[in-house]
Amino acid sequence: MCGIIGYIGKSNAVTVILDGLKRLEYRGYDSAGIAFFTDNNRIAVRRCKGKINDLYPMLMQQIPQTHTAIGHTRWATHGRPSEENAHPHRSNGIVLVHNGIIENYLQLKKELEKEGYNFTSETDTEVMCHLIHKYSSSYDIPLEEAVRRAMKDIRGAYAIAVMSEKEPGKIVGVRRDSPLVVGLGDGEFFVASDIPAFLSYSRDVIFLNDDEMVVMTDSGITISTLDGTTLQKDVMSISWNSSMAEKGGYRHFMLKEIFEQPRAIADTITGRLHPETGEINLEEFHLTPDYLKDIKKIFIVACGTSWHAAMVGKYMIEELARVPVEVDIASEFRYRNPLLGSKTLFIAITQSGETADTLAAQRHAKQLGTKVMSICNVIGSTASREADAVFYTRSGPEIGVASTKAFTTQLVGLFLFAIALGRINNVVSKEQAKKLLSELLMIPDKVETVLSNDSEIEKIAKESFKKDSSLYLGRGINYPIAMEGALKLKEISYIHAEAYPAGEMKHGPIALVEEDFPVLFLAPKDRLYEKVISNIQEIRSRSGKIIAVTTEGNTNITDFSDYSIYVPEADPLVLPILLVVPLQLIAYHIGVLRGCDVDQPRNLAKSVTVE
Ligand code: AGP
């Protein structure tokens, strides 16, 4: 995610902003920038692709003596990492920094261009600058009123800080679906995406809610709703140290990222579908219907957790588009002399975009003349640059080595692609597509429901996984979820966990089962449920300990399981997104219980850049 910060006060604003941006570095970024009032009340902007330290030479002639400034660290979502895409953005005397995704920016951009505005970046953010300038220059109104009017035209997620040369010494902040906090110092005020940005200056914060605005001047702050109603907000005192603050108060990045999944999924969906028509914005995949309609086979290639996503994607695409899909582990793919061709699409799934095995497989496919699409989380990464087409997940930086929010957003991307291809192939009707998209739009809230059950899941995890080995079993599209759950337990708690198709137990692995041996079943009430129940009974008859993850309302599961975890019902093709969340939490809690370094597990790297 991007990071924003604004400061007004007695200290040198540029120094405070640069310090604050460095404390937001943990959020991950590819460019940075700062804007500040100069002594003639103009606003100067300094920004660069790269790191915050790269800004210093732009300021070295002298750190300007200024008391009002805003700053930004950019995690690219629209437009590659570059100086012109870096924030702050400006429109004449209006300067702005933004964290979020504007859903209707293309439409607004067209309208503003018709009104004579020239765009200099590829970002969605720039439309906000021009829109605010339009209102500010058209009416004799204060900056906050121009911002209010502009926000009424905006759809999407945003947290912004805005300054205007017409009103030196004022910063306006407003948020919707992206966090924004206000820091209260002694005669100085802060607004930022996250507390670490100003924690070393102030522990007194006000959390803004959606559609709330702060107006900061050197004489104080005013908080109001977007319609201008003044609000009295509670001031919270933060007791965290800076390390805890970077984790948003969570004990580990992994837990924070598990809990970020509703937002990450919502961001990955935003602007990419039209539920009222059942259409998908294919341009987000950079592939055309004419090309896709001729595809006769798809290869999906990846490593680790991303490979598990690929396996789920196979079920989605074959079910919805009726195109055969082969899934390969990247390090195996190019050594089996794969049968690729021009009517084949190669999809590489990679969170980091730097996994050597996946890059090698992707390059091999290109050498064989196959078009390559990358499903990736990092704009500007090698995989995304070398692919012919890219679908960016928007999970934000994933710091924990164990992949969680990247996985669920990969599943979202695969689901959208499967629907789009199903529509092109006339397999999925418009009505079916509308229903599938409405199912997807409910997923962020349903993930929240699962997360709200974390304390119960923690209790089950601690009571059930007391052996140094375990089995994770599932059927159909949920077998790859069993594999993902087993990998999470292995890599976080160092307990050996193995996943198997539930129907395969009787062909050997059931020999492992002894009294209290933990076996986790993915047992949603779907068309394979009865089969799974008979597999559960095979284990129970050998005194295994059964942990069943099932769907709400399926209460008779307690007749067969020692522990039951419930997730909301959903279409079978999106249910895997919900089923994986308890498995992530189980691995996390057991890892913590066993004293493991859950964010940096032994022997592992976040991105495996060697073959
Ligand atoms: C998953 O928790 C692991 N961190 C690992 O398996 C990872 O998924 C794999 O190395 C692939 O990484 P990528 O998605 O960045 O290519």
Side-chain angles (χ1 to χ4, degrees):
M1 304 73 81
C2 303
I4 71 173
I5 178 172
Y7 173 79
I8 288 185
K10 54 188 183 301
S11 301
N12 181 296
V14 169
T15 304
V16 172
I17 293 294
L18 292 174
D19 180 37
L21 290 178
K22 289 189 82 58
R23 295 178 187 280
L24 293 176
E25 281 189 309
Y26 74 90
R27 297 164 70 90
Y29 69 107
D30 46 57
S31 48
I34 184 170
F36 52 89
F37 276 96
T38 59
D39 46 20
N40 60 353
N41 284 335
R42 314 301 291 171
I43 297 177
V45 175
R46 303 285 185 274
R47 56 189 193 178
C48 65
K49 176 182 175 184
K51 297 304 176 190
I52 293 159
N53 287 341
D54 299 325
L55 286 171
Y56 284 94
M58 300 177 174
L59 300 158
M60 280 319 280
Q61 54 276 26
Q62 89 281 348
I63 294 280
Q65 292 309 313
T66 178
H67 300 285
T68 307
I70 57 176
H72 188 268
T73 50
R74 182 175 183 246
W75 172 268
T77 55
H78 290 74
R80 70 200 187 294
S82 65
E83 189 275 333
E84 61 270 8
N85 287 332
H87 302 206
H89 287 285
R90 81 181 307 159
S91 176
N92 301 295
I94 299 292
V95 178
L96 171 147
V97 289
H98 166 227
N99 175 30
I101 294 167
I102 304 306
E103 184 172 338
N104 61 334
Y105 83 97
L106 287 172
Q107 168 208 335
L108 292 170
K109 183 170 181 176
K110 290 189 182 89
E111 292 165 8
L112 288 161
E113 284 174 330
K114 283 184 192 145
E115 295 176 42
Y117 284 97
N118 296 317
F119 282 75
T120 58
S121 79
E122 303 162 303
T123 67
D124 54 340
T125 300
E126 195 179 350
V127 297
M128 301 173 94
C129 283
H130 295 316
L131 210 48
I132 294 169
H133 177 266
K134 182 178 104 171
Y135 287 111
S136 172
S137 57
S138 307
Y139 307 94
D140 182 18
I141 53 177
L143 177 58
E144 57 268 30
E145 183 52 34
V147 172
R148 284 195 186 97
R149 296 188 190 189
M151 291 309 109
K152 287 187 168 61
D153 298 342
I154 297 279
R155 285 205 321 274
Y158 55 78
I160 62 173
V162 197
M163 303 191 301
S164 169
E165 288 179 342
K166 284 164 65 174
E167 298 177 73
K170 178 185 279 187
I171 295 175
V172 174
V174 64
R175 64 150 286 178
R176 178 183 292 164
D177 284 339
S178 271
L180 200 60
V181 294
V182 177
L184 307 174
D186 177 12
E188 56 186 8
F189 306 98
F190 307 80
V191 63
S193 303
D194 204 355
I195 290 165
F198 55 73
L199 190 62
S200 56
Y201 299 91
S202 167
R203 290 185 173 277
D204 293 336
V205 306
I206 292 173
F207 293 96
L208 294 185
N209 296 320
D210 281 350
D211 295 336
E212 291 182 353
M213 170 187 277
V214 60
V215 179
M216 295 186 348
T217 65
D218 52 14
S219 56
I221 66 163
T222 306
I223 293 176
S224 65
T225 60
L226 263 188
D227 62 15
T229 308
T230 302
L231 295 171
Q232 294 305 321
K233 302 277 287 184
D234 294 339
V235 178
M236 317 288 281
S237 180
I238 298 300
S239 58
W240 299 335
N241 60 40
S242 55
S243 167
M244 285 173 68
E246 287 182 2
K247 301 181 183 84
Y250 289 98
R251 190 170 166 191
H252 298 101
F253 279 112
M254 181 182 175
L255 189 61
K256 175 171 179 266
E257 287 154 9
I258 289 171
F259 276 76
E260 281 176 341
Q261 290 182 114
R263 175 77 264 145
I265 292 166
D267 284 350
T268 301
I269 292 171
T270 296
R272 289 166 157 172
L273 53 89
H274 303 282
E276 65 285 354
T277 62
E279 296 308 310
I280 309 283
N281 288 344
L282 257 183
E283 59 269 18
E284 290 285 340
F285 288 89
H286 307 286
L287 295 170
T288 63
D290 277 352
Y291 162 75
L292 287 171
K293 68 182 177 26
D294 292 337
I295 291 299
K296 299 297 178 243
K297 187 167 193 176
I298 294 174
F299 285 79
I300 315 181
V301 177
C303 300
T305 287
S306 298
W307 173 55
H308 298 150
M311 292 177 76
V312 176
K314 170 184 171 70
Y315 285 92
M316 293 173 170
I317 295 168
E318 290 190 346
E319 174 73 17
L320 295 178
R322 308 309 292 157
V323 173
V325 178
E326 279 195 41
V327 175
D328 276 85
I329 285 177
S331 55
E332 293 292 314
F333 175 72
R334 58 199 166 107
Y335 300 114
R336 69 175 184 83
N337 200 12
L339 299 169
L340 293 163
S342 60
K343 300 293 186 194
T344 307
L345 172 62
F346 178 99
I347 300 178
I349 303 178
T350 170
Q351 186 283 132
S352 62
E354 302 301 342
T355 300
D357 288 326
T358 306
L359 291 175
Q362 178 172 310
R363 288 164 183 158
H364 185 69
K366 288 198 76 168
Q367 284 160 7
L368 297 177
T370 297
K371 194 180 277 283
V372 169
M373 176 172 87
S374 170
I375 296 180
C376 184
N377 192 42
V378 182
I379 289 186
S381 60
T382 304
S384 64
R385 281 184 286 106
E386 293 184 2
D388 301 299
V390 190
F391 176 86
Y392 285 113
T393 53
R394 294 172 182 159
S395 72
E398 192 173 67
I399 312 293
V401 165
S403 190
T404 51
K405 61 180 183 173
F407 176 71
T408 46
T409 53
Q410 287 165 355
L411 298 188
V412 171
L414 288 160
F415 185 63
L416 290 172
F417 177 76
I419 296 170
L421 192 57
R423 292 283 291 129
I424 289 166
N425 292 350
N426 295 314
V427 176
V428 173
S429 70
K430 181 174 179 177
E431 287 314 307
Q432 282 174 306
K434 286 165 69 174
K435 184 179 180 309
L436 291 167
L437 292 181
S438 66
E439 283 276 341
L440 181 61
L441 287 168
M442 290 187 282
I443 289 296
D445 286 345
K446 290 184 175 181
V447 172
E448 288 287 9
T449 301
V450 180
L451 294 170
S452 66
N453 197 19
D454 177 38
S455 54
E456 182 58 25
I457 293 168
E458 179 180 8
K459 182 168 166 290
I460 292 171
K462 289 178 175 176
E463 288 177 8
S464 49
F465 286 85
K466 292 179 177 167
K467 298 266 188 181
D468 279 338
S469 179
S470 63
L471 280 170
Y472 280 63
L473 306 179
R475 281 181 175 260
I477 194 171
N478 299 316
Y479 165 48
I481 299 302
M483 296 176 75
E484 175 56 13
L487 174 62
K488 286 282 133 344
L489 192 65
K490 278 197 283 273
E491 64 177 336
I492 294 305
S493 70
Y494 314 146
I495 290 175
H496 180 256
E498 195 167 1
Y500 253 88
E504 186 62 10
M505 285 311 300
K506 52 191 174 295
H507 301 286
I510 199 163
L512 291 171
V513 178
E514 57 187 19
E515 184 158 0
D516 284 343
F517 184 87
V519 181
L520 184 142
F521 278 91
L522 294 168
K525 199 72 184 297
D526 60 12
R527 63 190 175 86
L528 296 172
Y529 179 68
E530 297 309 327
K531 295 275 187 193
V532 172
I533 289 297
S534 61
N535 297 143
I536 288 177
Q537 288 171 314
E538 289 165 13
I539 303 295
R540 280 179 68 83
S541 62
R542 292 162 176 84
S543 309
K545 185 187 295 284
I546 305 295
I547 305 97
V549 184
T550 187
T551 36
E552 284 169 354
N554 182 26
T555 49
N556 77 346
I557 192 75
T558 53
D559 298 339
F560 306 102
S561 62
D562 298 287
Y563 301 95
S564 302
I565 298 172
Y566 295 90
V567 303
E569 289 193 303
D571 182 282
L573 293 177
V574 291
L575 189 60
I577 300 174
L578 302 180
L579 290 170
V580 75
V581 177
L583 279 50
Q584 296 168 341
L585 290 169
I586 285 170
Y588 170 78
H589 290 304
I590 293 175
V592 170
L593 182 70
R594 291 167 67 99
C596 300
D597 181 350
V598 293
D599 279 338
Q600 301 286 341
R602 69 186 182 197
N603 310 334
L604 296 181
K606 181 58 188 170
S607 180
V608 183
T609 55
V610 293
E611 287 193 47

